[in-house]
Amino acid sequence: MTISLPVQPVVATPSSDDSLLPVYKRFPVTFVSGSGVELIDSDGRSYLDLTSGIAVNALGYDDPGISMAMRDAMASGLLHVSNLYHTEPGAQLARRLTELSGLARVFFCNSGAEANEGAFKFARRWARAASGPARHEILALRGSFHGRLFGTLAATDRPGYRAPFRPLAGGISIVERDLGALASALAADTVAAVIVEPVQGEGGVRVLDFAFLRALRELTRQHGAALIADEIQCGLGRTGTFLACEQAGIVPDMVTLAKPLAGGLPMGAVLMSKAIASAVNAGDHGTTFGGGPFITSVALHVVDRLADPALLEHVRETGEWLGTELAALAARCGRVRAVRGVGFMWGLDVHQRAADVAQRALDAGLLICTAGDHTLRLLPPLIATREDLARGISILEGVLS
Ligand code: PLP
């Protein structure tokens, strides 16, 4: 006897999302597969992806190394055992991240915002131990984006995201991107930590000046505050070095990572100095899924690939070329006011509404995202070649004109 199973209809474009909470404005397209730098929609149409799932898919789609790492990780049969017990892959990944960053200890969690929330708690724990409860404030910079959870929202300088949820978590404030303003805020001796994105992503792709970052490192040290580098978007190879901070020659007290860390699986991490780690005790923080054996096995593979000097050199060289090509595009088409970026992270200020340009780019087979109302953001997979990027620029030029 043959049993015929009901056949799932091919999903029409776009999916019917009636049961999902409508917190996202989604483009009207449903993706069904991907390979390298291309995604395929439910009508079989292909798109060049210069967004990488918002800086997550650094190795592109259907990467054979990630598939093999997942198969190998499955072989143990352990997806999860909880943090009540030891497993080997998490310990190995933590060791690798400390070697690569020069920091001493690692806490694993499940997202970027969660990594920053953890870093805020660790900073307060350390500052309280060193100087008492008065030293508790967290400062974030104008233009920053550190997440949308309850604490991180207060450190995220996006009025539209903040307003509906006031009052925001206390003890967290936004300070101008200015050394004078930071120095006077730090002088009060109430600051536990300053959090900074070396390249502000959502805030318009702003590469912070290296001299500014070095001076901030010095200021925080002088005033006994921790410096947290949020490298959730700009870290893990995106700027052409494993961490963006390396280019400024600074080692922060904590670095937060997420996005590409586990190749598309949800993972975050807080890397911290010995001094911070030694102030944190058992029971001070935790999360059920953080650092499980499956995800850390996959992340170990991804981190090795993203730390590969050949990949980093490709990002530096191709990124420099990309910047020149984007500046040439701006000069040619007259519709781009400014081009900013580094490595594989670029922003273009446009006269038109950025969301409209991104929609027209999608119609033309190109995925780009936005960073504010008038900034287009390009976050290509780090494996993209000059040919891929040149194709993207040519589509974008047609769309802009
Ligand atoms: N920090 C930065 C710099 C980010 O770009 C993001 C996300 O875009 C976050 C934090 C929050 O990460 P997640 O969305 O994984 O919570």
Side-chain angles (χ1 to χ4, degrees):
M1 188 178 76
T2 51
I3 301 170
S4 59
L5 295 168
V7 177
Q8 281 293 108
V10 172
V11 190
T13 306
S15 301
S16 171
D17 284 349
D18 295 354
S19 306
L20 287 172
L21 190 69
V23 286
Y24 303 108
K25 273 192 215 142
R26 295 180 205 264
F27 287 101
V29 62
T30 301
F31 289 118
V32 293
S33 64
S35 172
V37 296
E38 305 267 340
L39 277 168
I40 309 292
D41 77 7
S42 50
D43 296 326
R45 187 166 178 232
S46 76
Y47 298 77
L48 173 63
D49 177 19
L50 300 191
T51 296
S52 310
I54 323 182
V56 169
N57 302 317
L59 300 173
Y61 298 92
D62 198 22
D63 176 80
I66 295 183
S67 302
M68 184 147 354
M70 293 209 287
R71 272 196 299 275
D72 290 350
M74 286 294 292
S76 68
L78 301 183
L79 285 176
H80 172 83
V81 295
S82 88
N83 284 306
L84 295 173
Y85 313 103
H86 293 277
T87 52
E88 198 43 42
Q92 278 177 22
L93 176 64
R95 208 171 307 127
R96 188 84 182 100
L97 288 170
T98 59
E99 285 161 10
L100 287 163
S101 64
L103 290 165
R105 296 245 179 200
V106 182
F107 173 79
F108 291 121
C109 52
N110 312 289
S111 71
E114 210 191 315
N116 286 336
E117 298 263 343
F120 294 171
K121 279 183 71 181
F122 303 145
R124 278 204 178 163
R125 191 74 177 96
W126 162 78
R128 175 182 285 256
S131 326
R135 190 180 275 283
H136 65 273
E137 279 185 66
I138 311 285
L139 306 182
L141 300 192
R142 179 70 64 215
S144 61
F145 183 96
H146 297 296
R148 312 238 218 146
L149 296 182
F150 210 72
T152 43
L153 185 59
T156 285
D157 183 28
R158 292 290 285 268
Y161 294 168
R162 294 160 67 97
F165 302 101
R166 288 185 182 281
L168 303 177
I172 305 177
S173 15
I174 307 284
V175 180
E176 296 307 318
R177 281 191 308 260
D178 170 77
L179 287 172
L182 282 157
S184 52
L186 282 158
D189 287 342
T190 52
V191 178
V194 179
I195 183 164
V196 57
E197 292 162 85
V199 183
Q200 292 188 330
E202 304 282 325
V205 190
R206 284 171 209 286
V207 186
L208 298 196
D209 191 52
F210 293 162
F212 172 85
L213 287 173
R214 280 196 284 269
L216 182 58
R217 170 66 289 190
E218 205 37 50
L219 261 182
T220 46
R221 194 174 280 134
Q222 273 166 17
H223 288 280
L227 179 64
I228 306 169
D230 176 341
E231 297 228 8
I232 286 161
Q233 188 165 148
C234 66
L236 295 172
R238 181 148 295 279
T239 66
T241 44
F242 185 70
L243 296 179
C245 276
E246 290 170 35
Q247 293 180 42
I250 60 163
V251 180
D253 301 293
M254 283 187 266
V255 172
T256 52
L257 300 174
K259 290 198 182 272
L261 182 54
L265 300 174
M267 184 175 201
V270 189
L271 283 49
M272 70 201 82
S273 69
K274 205 167 163 188
I276 307 257
S278 56
V280 181
N281 298 319
D284 279 345
H285 198 50
T287 176
T288 297
F289 289 111
F294 178 77
I295 202 159
T296 47
S297 296
V298 178
L300 199 51
H301 169 82
V302 173
V303 164
D304 277 338
R305 298 268 303 278
L306 298 181
D308 180 349
L311 180 78
L312 296 173
E313 193 184 334
H314 162 73
V315 174
R316 282 195 301 275
E317 282 181 359
T318 313
E320 211 176 305
W321 170 87
L322 176 59
T324 313
E325 292 296 309
L326 291 171
L329 161 76
R332 272 197 311 274
C333 86
R335 290 171 193 241
V336 178
R337 281 180 301 180
V339 176
R340 291 181 299 273
V342 59
F344 272 31
M345 185 168 183
W346 287 88
L348 285 81
D349 289 347
V350 289
H351 297 285
Q352 307 160 53
R353 258 175 40 89
D356 296 342
V357 179
Q359 174 63 60
R360 292 205 304 277
L362 177 91
D363 296 341
L366 173 70
L367 305 184
I368 53 172
C369 60
T370 63
D373 291 344
H374 291 278
T375 304
L376 304 173
R377 188 169 31 148
L378 307 186
L379 299 164
L382 305 188
I383 54 158
T385 61
R386 283 188 189 199
E387 292 69 38
D388 297 326
L389 298 169
R391 187 153 63 91
I393 291 173
S394 150
I395 301 174
L396 183 59
E397 184 159 5
V399 164
L400 283 167
S401 333

